[in-house]
Amino acid sequence: MKMIVSPMLRIFFRPWVEGLENIPDEGPAIIASNHLSFSDSFFLPALMKRRVTFIAKAEYFTTPGLKGKLTAAFFKGVGQLPVDRSGTRGAGEAAIRSGIAVIERGELFGVYPEGTRSPDGKLYRGKVGGLARVALATGAPVIPVAMIDTEKVQPPGQVVPNFGIRPGIRVGRPLDFSRYQGMEGDRFILRSVTDEVMYEIMKLSGQEYVDIYATAAKRRIADEKKKADAERKAAQKAEQAEQAGSVESAGSAEKQDGSAG
């Protein structure tokens, strides 16, 4: 990753980085980033001096076919941790334990608090889970990170990236939540910690903040698209029916003219 992918990204995209000095040269820390594009998983780890272990959705490790195998090989190769987002508590707990283990080894643990990519470039509400619980269980500092313009490099659903765009990474100052250490069982504290981190990410990224979960926003956008498609198809059918009616009326008029002649 560091020897091959990082130089290629620097050559073809010339990404910029601000605040890299906020990443400690050694010792544990939690990297909390917004999530705009699949390419975040390349740019962020590649441009950090140290290895960052992120949790990634389990589908990246289980998708069939050649593309799925290549994707799984990449994520396994850079040490990413699979997490099941289907809502099963056991899988979530396993991911949190894995994150705590990363911190206890003195390494960098990365997480996308939104839980999924933003569907429209806005910043959505952080999920109470891995970020806050790992922070409070370990006392590790949380470093907010903003990915800039990566959604322009690789928009959602697009495989081949767009060249000629310079994405960026803006790293904020570490946030200390050690005052809450051991209170990871208090959901109100977890919510407060998560919201504070999201506020810092918002300031770094300049994104518009929306106080709903990104998964809910995706469903709403999908429903609106489905509704718009249905209305468009209905309008097309109505137009076709109107045209057919016009042709039929014209044919009847010609017959009447012929009879009159």
Side-chain angles (χ1 to χ4, degrees):
M1 180 70 175
K2 296 292 185 184
M3 294 175 62
I4 300 175
V5 177
S6 181
M8 290 178 63
L9 293 178
R10 292 179 186 276
I11 291 171
F12 290 108
F13 295 98
R14 299 183 300 116
W16 53 268
V17 184
E18 293 179 358
L20 200 58
E21 67 277 3
N22 291 318
I23 305 292
D25 293 331
E26 57 183 20
I30 300 169
I31 307 297
S33 173
N34 61 338
H35 198 9
L36 296 171
S37 167
F38 178 76
S39 63
D40 296 337
S41 300
F42 290 83
F43 283 107
L44 184 53
L47 298 179
M48 295 288 155
K49 294 179 180 179
R50 298 175 58 188
R51 172 173 169 169
V52 184
T53 299
F54 270 83
I55 50 177
K57 64 181 181 179
E59 293 92 320
Y60 287 152
F61 298 82
T62 58
T63 302
L66 178 60
K67 179 182 176 182
K69 290 181 179 179
L70 292 174
T71 301
F74 166 76
F75 281 102
K76 289 177 181 177
V78 295
Q80 306 306 281
L81 305 173
V83 58
D84 186 349
R85 304 185 304 172
S86 63
T88 55
R89 184 174 178 81
E93 292 293 332
I96 291 169
R97 288 196 300 271
S98 298
I100 292 174
V102 171
I103 294 298
E104 289 178 343
R105 292 197 299 266
E107 301 172 3
L108 299 179
F109 175 62
V111 62
Y112 297 116
E114 292 168 280
T116 186
R117 283 171 285 176
S118 170
D120 52 12
K122 298 176 183 178
L123 184 67
Y124 287 90
R125 194 181 196 198
K127 289 190 172 183
V128 174
L131 165 65
R133 289 186 60 186
V134 173
L136 300 191
T138 63
V142 179
I143 302 174
V145 171
M147 304 301 295
I148 311 292
D149 290 337
T150 52
E151 81 283 7
K152 297 177 182 177
V153 173
Q154 190 178 25
Q158 181 172 313
V159 177
V160 180
N162 298 319
F163 295 92
I165 297 171
R166 288 192 68 191
I169 300 176
R170 190 172 286 127
V171 183
R173 294 181 178 180
L175 302 175
D176 181 12
F177 296 108
S178 59
R179 62 191 182 278
Y180 299 130
Q181 189 170 357
M183 301 177 67
E184 61 271 20
D186 189 325
R187 189 168 181 82
F188 292 102
I189 295 294
L190 295 177
R191 180 77 264 165
S192 177
V193 168
T194 304
D195 288 345
E196 184 173 340
V197 173
M198 298 309 296
Y199 179 72
E200 292 300 321
I201 293 175
M202 180 189 71
K203 290 197 299 182
L204 291 169
S205 68
Q207 292 171 275
E208 178 185 345
Y209 179 76
V210 183
D211 195 25
I212 62 172
Y213 292 120
T215 48
K218 284 185 174 182
R219 287 194 298 270
R220 184 184 64 189
I221 291 172
D223 290 342
E224 290 175 351
K225 183 178 183 301
K226 188 182 296 184
K227 181 180 178 181
D229 289 343
E231 291 176 348
R232 177 177 54 81
K233 290 179 180 179
Q236 289 177 343
K237 287 183 178 180
E239 184 178 355
Q240 290 172 354
E242 184 177 348
Q243 290 175 349
S246 299
V247 170
E248 186 177 345
S249 297
S252 298
E254 288 181 7
K255 288 181 179 180
Q256 290 178 359
D257 289 342
S259 299

